[in-house]
């Protein structure tokens, strides 16, 4: 898949850009970072927030955070991972500030569909996380995906699945342990 | 070796990292976790490992180009802040900063009123210093006229911000639970003066803050904001 082939190249640009933003207050670096990542991060936020205006608002907040806090990216790990985590956290906080809208506007089905369809024909992906997720029980996999991609809290998962809270927590924890064994 | 002993347990670090990366922590737990990750190497390595494991799933989400106004707003906000000291967005709204702005503007208004004879130069009824990053960038003066529809607003960019002033932006009231924000007018890159309808004048009178956005449809992402101050004049 094209997006995956190009990802190492654009991702390699991110760390130097973050360094320029943190230490030189270089707005052109932020503009370049925005050009490389904004559509992907907007997609990520849309997957959690399901609202374009709110996602755009949080995206603006994210890049302002990057502008002021790029020094917190401390050259350890992946800058793309850092950006994704920051975007997810902002989106989740926004979502949890308005829980009623959250549960009314989201459904489970699209997540599973994306998972089921998009990995076909992507060998590197089939070898890693998707293959391992496929090895989990469907209900467990669904809970992990809803947490990670949809930003659902335990309480929201309980409402959606009508399963006991303790059972949800233990299923996720067991699923993550299995996932780790498979991945490593 | 610095750090807390319990975070040298690989099993615990791994479980915490998995919870963190999959978004199953409360805001407070997450903040604590991020603080710990700065000093606890095992923990930060576990977070990085889980993040890398699951990142391919994020990359499979369809990209979605954001509206162009998002970058325009960011561009305006960062171009107003070239000073070396980092200042997070929320700090710009702290009361002491507002208090400084308000007192500066009151002094300006007082000086204006003292030096300009009221017969030849009408005084503004309202004054709004709009700022970003704690710096005033735009001043709105509102002049009331007895004739309906003749009250007018005057927008003037500060000298230092003028080169960065957006070509097109929109002035809004802040709105309230009962009243949505009201568009007061369109601003250009130079100073602008325009008349406002009685309805807009009333909305301005009720507004505690004025906002400037780059979006003509909503002030949800303001690039400038500031208090709308009613001025008092002693009758001579």
């Amino acid at each position: 898949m094209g997006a995956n082939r190009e990802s190492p190249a654009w991702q390699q640009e991110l760390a130097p850009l973050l360094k320029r933003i943190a230490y030189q207050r270089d707005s052109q670096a932020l503009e370049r970072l925005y050009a490389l990542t904004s559509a992907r991060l907007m997609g990520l936020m849309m997957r959690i927030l399901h609202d374009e205006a709110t996602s755009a608002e949080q995206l603006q907040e994210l890049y302002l955070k990057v502008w002021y806090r790029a020094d917190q990216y401390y050259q350890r790990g992946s800058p793309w991972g850092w950006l994704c985590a920051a975007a997810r956290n902002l989106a989740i906080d926004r979502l949890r500030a308005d829980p009623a809208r959250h549960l009314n506007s989201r459904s489970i089905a699209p997540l599973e569909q994306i998972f089921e369809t998009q990995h076909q024909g992507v060998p590197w992906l089939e070898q890693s996380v998707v293959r391992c997720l496929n090895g989990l029980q469907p209900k467990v996999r669904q809970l992990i995906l809803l947490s990670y991609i949809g930003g659902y809290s335990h309480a929201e998962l309980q409402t959606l699945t009508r399963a006991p809270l303790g059972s949800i927590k233990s299923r996720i924890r067991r699923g993550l342990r299995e996932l780790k064994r498979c991945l490593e | 070796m610095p750090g807390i002993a319990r975070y040298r347990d690989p099993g615990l670090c791994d479980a915490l990292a998995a919870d963190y990366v999959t978004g199953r922590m409360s805001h407070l737990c997450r903040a604590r976790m991020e603080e710990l990750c700065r000093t606890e190497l095992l923990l930060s390595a576990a977070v990085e490992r889980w993040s890398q494991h699951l990142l391919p799933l994020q990359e499979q989400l369809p990209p979605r180009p954001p509206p162009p106004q998002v970058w325009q707003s960011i561009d305006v906000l960062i171009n107003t802040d070239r000073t070396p000291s980092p200042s997070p967005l929320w700090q710009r709204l702290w009361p002491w900063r507002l208090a400084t702005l308000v007192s500066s503007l009151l002094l300006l208004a007082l000086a204006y009123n003292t030096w300009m004879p009221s017969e030849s130069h009408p005084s503004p009824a309202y004054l709004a210093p709009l700022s970003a990053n704690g710096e005033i960038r735009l001043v709105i003066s509102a002049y009331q006229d007895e004739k309906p529809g003749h009250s007018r607003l005057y927008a003037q960019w500060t000298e230092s911000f003028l080169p960065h002033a957006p070509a097109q932006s929109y002035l809004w009231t802040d709105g309230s639970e009962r009243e949505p924000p009201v568009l007061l007018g369109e601003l250009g890159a130079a100073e602008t003066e325009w008349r406002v309808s009685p309805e807009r004048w009333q909305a301005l009178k009720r507004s505690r803050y004025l906002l400037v956005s780059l979006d003509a449809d909503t002030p949800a992402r303001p690039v400038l904001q500031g208090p709308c101050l009613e001025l008092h004049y002693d009758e001579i």
Side-chain angles (χ1 to χ4, degrees):
Chain A
M1 186 181 273
N4 298 317
R5 294 260 181 262
E6 71 169 332
S7 59
W10 67 263
Q11 284 186 24
Q12 279 167 21
E13 274 194 63
L14 302 183
L17 289 173
L18 284 170
K19 191 176 175 186
R20 279 166 56 194
I21 293 166
Y23 300 111
Q24 297 168 26
R25 308 287 279 166
D26 183 344
S27 61
Q28 286 182 341
L30 185 72
E31 189 169 4
R32 177 69 182 150
L33 186 86
Y34 185 88
L36 288 171
T37 57
S38 61
R40 292 175 173 92
L41 293 174
M42 181 77 179
L44 182 157
M45 286 186 160
M46 281 291 292
R47 183 57 53 190
I48 296 172
L49 293 165
H50 287 254
D51 180 89
E52 186 173 26
T54 313
S55 300
E57 187 185 308
Q58 294 306 306
L59 195 72
Q60 176 180 317
E61 196 64 32
L62 171 70
Y63 284 95
L64 289 174
K65 185 177 174 184
V66 169
W67 179 247
Y68 292 111
R69 300 284 186 87
D71 58 323
Q72 288 188 1
Y73 168 68
Y74 35 89
Q75 296 285 331
R76 200 180 298 162
S78 141
W80 176 233
W82 183 74
L83 284 169
C84 283
R88 289 183 70 252
N89 291 340
L90 273 175
I92 288 171
D93 286 345
R94 180 67 183 81
L95 192 70
R96 290 179 186 168
D98 189 4
R101 191 172 68 89
H102 169 202
L103 285 175
N104 289 338
S105 63
R106 298 192 299 162
S107 73
I108 303 172
L111 295 171
E112 280 286 285
Q113 284 166 11
I114 282 173
F115 175 73
E116 295 289 348
T117 57
Q118 292 218 350
H119 70 279
Q120 290 169 5
V122 188
W124 71 269
L125 202 55
E126 284 172 356
Q127 288 166 7
S128 59
V129 66
V130 173
R131 177 177 57 82
C132 293
L133 280 166
N134 261 330
L136 300 179
Q137 286 180 8
K139 281 186 179 175
V140 174
R141 185 179 67 215
Q142 189 185 54
L143 289 172
I144 291 173
L145 286 174
L146 285 169
S147 289
Y148 180 63
I149 293 182
Y152 282 73
S153 68
H154 286 143
E156 290 158 353
L157 290 174
Q158 186 186 16
T159 308
L160 279 168
T161 61
R162 295 192 178 86
L165 191 59
S167 157
I168 287 172
K169 286 182 180 177
S170 63
R171 274 186 205 164
I172 292 180
R173 187 146 290 191
R174 200 170 53 242
L176 288 171
R177 270 203 303 269
E178 282 179 38
L179 195 60
K180 181 173 184 277
R181 269 199 298 274
C182 174
L183 288 165
E184 292 181 351
Chain B
M1 177 180 168
I4 304 166
R6 65 193 300 244
Y7 298 116
R8 292 175 206 160
D9 173 355
L12 175 70
C13 287
D14 193 72
L16 287 172
D19 283 353
Y20 174 78
V21 172
T22 53
R24 298 187 307 117
M25 280 185 169
S26 68
H27 181 81
L28 282 176
C29 288
R30 197 195 318 134
R32 173 70 178 142
M33 184 78 180
E34 285 165 1
E35 197 183 316
L36 284 168
C37 278
R38 293 198 189 105
T39 52
E40 301 299 332
L41 300 182
L42 257 181
L43 196 59
S44 66
V47 167
E48 173 60 17
R49 212 165 38 244
W50 269 106
S51 175
Q52 285 302 315
H53 284 329
L54 297 180
L55 212 51
L57 290 174
Q58 295 286 6
E59 289 165 7
Q60 289 308 298
L61 297 176
R64 173 108 172 208
Q69 294 92 335
V70 176
W71 173 251
Q72 289 166 12
S73 301
I74 294 167
D75 194 32
V76 168
L77 285 166
I78 65 170
N79 278 309
T80 62
D81 176 40
R82 296 293 192 184
T83 54
S85 61
S87 161
L89 181 64
W90 51 91
Q91 284 186 3
R92 284 176 242 147
L93 301 175
W94 279 26
W96 69 269
R97 285 184 181 271
L98 279 180
T100 309
L101 294 181
V102 170
S103 52
S104 307
L105 260 291
L106 286 174
L107 276 174
L108 275 176
L110 182 65
Y112 182 90
N113 198 35
T114 306
W115 293 330
M116 300 294 175
S118 57
E119 292 81 12
S120 54
H121 297 277
S123 302
Y126 293 87
L127 209 55
L130 305 189
S131 61
N133 305 327
E135 298 288 334
I136 298 171
R137 301 303 183 191
L138 175 75
V139 176
I140 302 291
S141 311
Y143 297 89
Q144 189 165 19
D145 195 289
E146 288 176 1
K147 290 183 194 169
H150 280 67
S151 294
R152 59 203 164 82
L153 299 186
Y154 183 67
Q156 194 170 17
W157 299 101
T158 57
E159 185 70 29
S160 61
F161 187 65
L162 194 60
H164 308 292
Q168 201 171 28
S169 55
Y170 301 90
L171 181 68
W172 299 80
T173 65
D174 60 348
S176 65
E177 284 179 8
R178 293 180 207 156
E179 180 180 50
V182 173
L183 178 64
L184 293 174
E186 186 179 328
L187 307 174
E191 55 192 68
T192 316
E193 185 172 11
W194 71 102
R195 286 182 178 174
V196 290
S197 66
E199 293 77 24
R200 286 181 172 179
W201 182 263
Q202 290 303 317
L204 178 132
K205 283 178 72 174
R206 290 190 294 271
S207 187
R208 289 190 306 153
Y209 286 84
L210 296 187
L211 314 167
V212 169
S213 73
L214 298 176
D215 193 337
D217 300 324
T218 170
R221 294 188 294 276
V223 292
L224 298 172
Q225 51 195 318
C228 181
L229 309 169
E230 183 175 10
L231 303 179
H232 168 77
Y233 297 99
D234 286 327
E235 291 194 9
I236 300 171

